[in-house]
Amino acid sequence: MSFQMARRAERMNPSIIREILKVTERPGVISLAGGLPSPDSFPVDAMRVASERVLRESPREALQYAASEGYAPLREWVAATMGGQGLDVDPDQVLITTGSQQGLDLVGKVLIDAGSTVAVERPTYLGALQAFAPYEPEIVSVPCDDDGPLPGELGVAKGARFLYLLPNFQNPSGRCMSALRRAQLADAARALGLPIVEDNPYGDLWFDTPPPAPLSTRWRDGSVYLGSFSKVLAPGLRLGYVIAPKELFPKLLQAKQAADLHSPGYNQRVVHEVIKDGFLREHVPTVRARYKAQRDAMRAALEHHLPAGCRWNVPSGGMFFWLELPEGVDALALLPKAVERGVAFVPGAAFFADHAKANTLRLSFVTVPPATIERGIELLASALKESS
Ligand SMILES: Cc1ncc(COP(=O)(O)O)c(C=O)c1O
């Protein structure tokens, strides 16, 4: 081959989730793998009305190139909404991104040098590892319990460029950090001079009580906060946002300009049109109710079908169960057997930067309806019983 790959390209790997999703496209396979929001939750009618309105009232502006920072009314909406959660934000600090995934890439581009250190949770979001990897960091993972990273262990992250945290209904573990843990982590990070990158796509999807305030509220100058419209509206819009301290914002903006000039202005206007008068106050509770019922269906199925020796959390929001199989069972080896039977999941090892636990796996409860969840878990249990 005549192309010589850049070092960063060598560090890029196909996402195991995308690879698994290809398999799950096979007809008849029940996918508990990808974190695909339920398509029944998409606000199709509201989107249609808003699209028509944008095309009627500001078609040329919506179809023209636009500001890299994002559509001003949408930035204002984000700032006001975050204010309601205790995070006092100036609209100038809000950068609209092409999904929060792009926010992770921009953060990596601006903060990581080859050989510098980035600290993550154990396990952590695979897409963040993918976003950071091309910038060639050394990744260290902080030991965690069911409440998130252990503040006493944060010393392993000393000198890192940042600590990447998912406080709400973490992907993949489903855990949600308590207010106390957030306070301890923010204090410990501040004492170490360790900036925090807080990623929160799932915080609105709580089932019984809202999660505690964002970690960023506890250390404003040392935190970058990422949000997304993917889980409360629809992921196909590819819209998210980064809230950054004012010293960091210009660099993120320049990185964004180089990446894609701006996120689709048409989508931004449509989303703003949908949400500006409080639509989410009515819509999000319907998504919560749907996902809670699906969470309950998965919990009941796990309790009913899974053999002794399996352990799982019960998530209080978000999209995922995290399952620990009996010691010695390899979830990656189990996957082809499960797919053969007609169910797919994501082996947990993919979510670890180091210290991978081969006996873990992630199950999404949002994509398919309760009866299909029940059947999927039954198939998983039969694959498991056969292989042990
Ligand atoms: C933790 C986390 N961060 C970021 C993203 C990216 O979301 P989006 O780019 O759709 O906003 C996801 C998607 O699943 C995620 O789970």
Side-chain angles (χ1 to χ4, degrees):
M1 187 169 75
S2 53
F3 293 104
Q4 180 176 347
M5 293 291 160
R7 248 187 6 225
R8 82 182 65 83
E10 302 291 342
R11 301 196 35 154
M12 294 175 187
N13 291 310
S15 155
I16 184 168
I17 299 189
R18 304 255 145 230
E19 296 301 305
I20 292 169
L21 284 178
K22 282 189 214 155
V23 176
T24 62
E25 276 160 18
R26 285 208 327 237
V29 175
I30 297 171
S31 181
L32 307 177
L36 303 186
S38 166
D40 295 334
S41 73
F42 300 156
V44 177
D45 290 336
M47 293 294 302
R48 187 178 291 120
V49 171
S51 299
E52 279 167 9
R53 185 142 193 202
V54 167
L55 284 176
R56 197 171 54 244
E57 292 180 1
S58 48
R60 293 193 168 69
E61 296 85 341
L63 297 172
Q64 185 55 284
Y65 282 118
S68 302
E69 292 88 339
Y71 180 50
L74 188 60
R75 298 173 75 202
E76 282 156 23
W77 183 93
V78 170
T81 303
M82 292 315 299
Q85 293 183 28
L87 195 63
D88 195 14
V89 175
D90 188 308
D92 287 351
Q93 293 174 264
V94 179
L95 179 64
I96 303 292
T97 55
T98 304
S100 54
Q101 187 67 28
Q102 183 183 50
L104 293 169
D105 177 58
L106 300 180
V107 164
K109 209 181 222 177
V110 166
L111 294 180
I112 303 173
D113 279 316
S116 63
T117 303
V118 167
V120 301
E121 296 182 49
R122 189 186 299 173
T124 190
Y125 170 50
L126 173 60
L129 295 176
Q130 266 196 307
F132 302 151
Y135 303 110
E136 305 180 44
E138 302 293 329
I139 305 266
V140 296
S141 69
V142 183
C144 295
D145 64 12
D146 288 346
D147 198 12
L150 295 163
E153 301 279 350
L154 222 53
V156 298
K158 192 164 193 269
R161 292 293 168 92
F162 60 85
L163 169 64
Y164 172 63
L165 292 177
L166 301 142
N168 295 329
F169 319 122
Q170 199 227 29
N171 179 2
S173 69
R175 68 187 168 216
C176 184
M177 289 179 203
S178 65
L180 176 62
R181 181 62 58 91
R182 290 171 203 237
Q184 291 169 331
L185 280 173
D187 287 351
R190 191 202 290 256
L192 286 169
L194 174 65
I196 291 169
V197 174
E198 176 171 21
D199 188 9
N200 181 28
Y202 302 107
D204 289 317
L205 303 181
W206 48 267
F207 299 148
D208 299 314
T209 48
L215 243 112
S216 302
T217 58
R218 300 176 182 276
W219 188 21
R220 299 295 319 287
D221 302 338
S223 307
V224 175
Y225 177 96
L226 289 89
S228 175
F229 292 104
S230 290
K231 311 298 181 339
V232 290
L233 282 178
L237 295 161
R238 307 307 306 126
L239 285 181
Y241 46 92
V242 177
I243 297 170
K246 288 189 177 170
E247 55 163 317
L248 192 58
F249 189 90
K251 286 293 160 201
L252 290 168
L253 179 61
Q254 287 155 26
K256 162 97 183 145
Q257 280 166 352
D260 65 353
L261 302 181
H262 63 81
S263 299
Y266 177 76
N267 294 12
Q268 294 185 61
R269 283 171 186 262
V270 171
V271 164
H272 181 254
E273 188 59 41
V274 169
I275 63 182
K276 68 179 192 216
D277 294 324
F279 173 80
L280 292 179
R281 278 199 295 277
E282 313 248 302
H283 176 64
V284 175
T286 67
V287 183
R288 285 183 198 130
R290 176 186 295 277
Y291 289 176
K292 185 178 180 185
Q294 296 185 198
R295 188 271 318 256
D296 289 344
M298 187 169 277
R299 173 165 60 175
L302 289 167
E303 281 166 7
H304 187 228
H305 294 291
L306 281 205
C310 296
R311 207 192 127 213
W312 57 89
N313 63 335
V314 178
S316 55
M319 301 189 167
F320 306 111
F321 274 85
W322 180 246
L323 191 59
E324 273 190 43
L325 304 173
E327 213 57 57
V329 180
D330 182 347
L332 195 58
L334 180 68
L335 180 61
K337 292 176 196 156
V339 169
E340 217 169 87
R341 283 180 154 71
V343 64
F345 57 81
V346 185
F351 298 98
F352 290 86
D354 50 30
H355 298 84
K357 286 176 107 175
N359 64 328
T360 55
L361 59 90
R362 189 192 75 176
L363 297 168
S364 160
F365 53 83
V366 298
T367 314
V368 298
T372 318
I373 290 175
E374 153 77 19
R375 176 75 187 133
I377 298 297
E378 191 182 354
L379 294 170
L380 173 65
S382 78
L384 192 54
K385 280 173 196 152
E386 184 222 21
S387 68
S388 53

